[in-house]
Amino acid sequence: MNTKRILIVDDEESVCRVLARHLREKGYETCCALTSEDGLRKFAAFRPHLVILDIRLPDGDGLVLLERFRAADPGL
């Protein structure tokens, strides 16, 4: 089975930690980012199948970040 990868982008570290732990327990591979900039870097390296994205981030708008993700991977 090919493990699905999920990127979590949220500026609240506790939210990232809880979501990541829960998803790993369900068999998913996870990666967390706390800022838009970090999210972009990790998106490129991690190549997630799914992104869980906060709309308000300290260094940008989550909806703008979503458009950048979708431009890089239209199937996301």
Side-chain angles (χ1 to χ4, degrees), residues 22-54:
H22 179 73
L23 291 167
R24 281 193 306 270
E25 288 172 357
K26 299 294 181 188
Y28 297 98
E29 186 177 348
T30 64
C31 182
C32 292
L34 300 175
T35 65
S36 294
E37 183 178 324
D38 192 32
L40 285 170
R41 270 194 310 275
K42 290 183 176 175
F43 181 85
F46 187 61
R47 302 307 297 170
H49 297 100
L50 177 79
V51 175
I52 298 174
L53 179 60
D54 190 359

Side-chain angles (χ1 to χ4, degrees), residues 8-21 32-34 54:
I8 303 163
V9 184
D10 195 302
D11 60 329
E12 292 185 46
E13 191 172 346
S14 62
V15 170
C16 285
R17 199 172 39 248
V18 168
L19 280 172
R21 183 177 58 232
C32 292
L34 300 175
D54 190 359

